Amino acid sequence: MNFAMIFIVLGWVACFNAVFMLLPAFVGIIYQEFAGFAFLNTSIISLIIGIALLILIKPKKKTLYSREGFVIVSLSWIVMSILGALPLYMSGAIPNFIDALFESVSGFTTTGASVVPSVEDLPNCCIFWRSFTHWIGGMGVLVFIMAFLPLSGAGNMNLMKAESPGPMVGKLVPRVRSTAFLLYAMYFGLTVLEFICLLFAKMPVFEAVNTSFATAGTGGFGFLNDSMASVSPTIQIIVTVFMILFGVNFSAYFLLLYRHWRDAFHISEIWVYFGIIALSSAAITVNIRNLYDSIGEAVRHATFTVGSIITTTGFSTADFNEWPEFSRTIILMLMFIGACAGSTGGGIKVSRFIIMFKTLIKEIQIQIHPKLVKKIKMDGHEISHETVRSLNIYLIVYIFIFFSSVLILSVEGHDFITNFSSVAATLNNIGPGLELAGPSQNFAFFSVPSKMVLIFDMLAGRLELFPMLLLFSPATWKK
């Protein structure tokens, strides 16, 4: 285990966090808010920690293997979350540190589950920080750092694999640093495009910035207590479109950028993704038609909710907790499906469900024809046995963590739907659940132990489970 390089990277993480903190501090100055000093103080603390690590630690070798990659990614997200919670706590915006940590983790992991009873009472600098953490965490903390700093050659790929969502991660271009820079360039470009569209829809600049950050990271922290319910229908439509766009595999945007039209439009995962959105929206529209004045309004709310849940953004224009059971069941199913691999969305991912379905078909055919030799393919490429094995292990671990979390939460005595949907909402990085954790509620009612479980679920869900689990394995820390 290369401990020196681990501390070096954590030092860079702290330094970058110091820079990130300057933005909400500047917002505090603009709005003349005392809470802005909490961000400035945290920026200084982060810079001191970062520089100390970079100066004091002298690595003998700079090689990073997969084990170091997983540990660095896990610890980086933990460090960022703790530092991100400090200004929320020190400013008094969230007076309990565990609650502040919950809010910070929820922000960086792009979950959007909140413990704040009234968002509108928060200082503007804190509202900005909550949304900005979505944007930072959407593409990944270390992906951002790798876009600017060459860390250790081939070891960069191990960091990207450990942090990037989905079953298959590859380089878009030969150099990992170039891949990271290209990903953030596309990410930034889409964010700016949404910001401009929101301005044209007459949304105030501050609200447009926060909404763009939260949508890009598929996070869902809002600036209003009712999320997106009180904004104009035009803005709701714009947010719907961009939520869905940010749930698409960014490899498709790369192919479109380089005019590889044929390859871009032959990615089966994207077609399945859009198909699920269309069918779910249509089914929910029919089911909730009588709840609204017109079919157009029902379509708008249904499509927005489906786009928000499948991309794990977590915005809401209506309290879907009050919808019929059929619609609520579809919403719960979408929580598990999630967005495309290689997007900023969470969930199990559409590509995994495609591979599972193809594996099921293969097994059925083998039962009928025992001597049949059949390869599983996706978009013309053969899916390796290693990928299928990893997927199976992922699902086993996912189910274990999920039901263990539900069991621990049940000790408090809340109803099953609340506990089940709360774990689904945090492990899949969605935000709102059902019943007590519905879109018009928050997670403040949970006890500290339950919040710690949900904090772990948010981190594990964002990092694809294994990076967090490896921290608890003694073998990980052996030299």
Side-chain angles (χ1 to χ4, degrees), residues 302-379:
T303 307
F304 186 99
T305 301
V306 169
S308 178
I309 297 300
I310 196 171
T311 62
T312 71
T313 305
F315 280 141
S316 61
T317 57
D319 188 358
F320 53 76
N321 194 44
E322 301 297 326
W323 286 358
E325 288 302 321
F326 178 72
S327 295
R328 299 206 314 165
T329 302
I330 293 176
I331 290 169
L332 192 62
M333 292 171 64
L334 294 175
M335 288 183 181
F336 291 95
I337 295 174
C340 297
S343 70
T344 61
I348 293 176
K349 304 294 183 303
V350 173
S351 59
R352 284 196 175 100
F353 280 95
I354 294 175
I355 295 172
M356 283 190 288
F357 180 77
K358 289 178 178 289
T359 303
L360 174 62
I361 297 299
K362 174 185 174 181
E363 290 302 316
I364 292 174
Q365 292 176 338
I366 289 176
Q367 293 299 318
I368 300 173
H369 306 288
K371 295 184 179 180
L372 177 69
V373 177
K374 182 178 178 62
K375 300 293 184 181
I376 300 174
K377 292 186 177 182
M378 188 170 174
D379 302 328

Side-chain angles (χ1 to χ4, degrees), residues 88-196:
L88 298 176
Y89 174 67
M90 292 191 300
S91 65
I94 303 179
N96 182 287
F97 182 75
I98 297 300
D99 284 350
L101 181 62
F102 185 99
E103 201 79 4
S104 177
V105 171
S106 183
F108 281 115
T109 59
T110 71
T111 303
S114 181
V115 293
V116 178
S118 178
V119 175
E120 296 172 22
D121 292 336
L122 291 176
N124 286 314
C125 57
C126 292
I127 292 176
F128 176 87
W129 176 240
R130 291 164 81 246
S131 300
F132 189 43
T133 55
H134 283 332
W135 196 83
I136 297 169
M139 190 58 68
V141 176
L142 290 174
V143 171
F144 183 89
I145 292 178
M146 284 187 290
F148 298 94
L149 297 173
L151 293 176
S152 57
N156 281 337
M157 195 59 200
N158 290 320
L159 295 180
M160 184 170 285
K161 285 181 178 179
E163 189 174 48
S164 300
M168 294 172 285
V169 176
K171 294 183 286 186
L172 300 180
V173 291
R175 295 181 61 194
V176 175
R177 186 185 180 191
S178 300
T179 297
F181 186 82
L182 185 59
L183 283 171
Y184 254 98
M186 293 186 290
Y187 187 49
F188 180 79
L190 279 174
T191 306
V192 171
L193 180 60
E194 181 184 3
F195 173 71
I196 293 172

Side-chain angles (χ1 to χ4, degrees), residues 195-236:
F195 173 71
I196 293 172
C197 291
L198 291 174
L199 289 182
F200 273 110
K202 299 181 179 180
M203 195 177 207
V205 174
F206 181 74
E207 285 83 349
V209 169
N210 282 280
T211 302
S212 299
F213 282 158
T215 308
T218 60
F221 274 152
F223 53 89
L224 297 172
N225 291 329
D226 63 2
S227 189
M228 290 280 134
S230 58
V231 301
S232 69
T234 302
I235 291 174
Q236 292 176 357

Side-chain angles (χ1 to χ4, degrees), residues 376-396:
I376 300 174
K377 292 186 177 182
M378 188 170 174
D379 302 328
H381 301 287
E382 183 179 325
I383 302 297
S384 67
H385 174 73
E386 179 65 23
T387 300
V388 176
R389 185 193 67 84
S390 298
L391 189 153
N392 293 334
I393 298 299
Y394 173 89
L395 289 176
I396 293 171

Side-chain angles (χ1 to χ4, degrees), residues 244 270-288 298-299 301-307 310 323 326-331 333-334 337 350:
I244 294 172
I270 297 176
W271 288 108
V272 174
Y273 167 72
F274 282 115
I276 293 172
I277 292 174
L279 289 174
S280 301
S281 300
I284 292 178
T285 298
V286 173
N287 191 233
I288 66 172
V299 169
H301 288 303
T303 307
F304 186 99
T305 301
V306 169
I310 196 171
W323 286 358
F326 178 72
S327 295
R328 299 206 314 165
T329 302
I330 293 176
I331 290 169
M333 292 171 64
L334 294 175
I337 295 174
V350 173

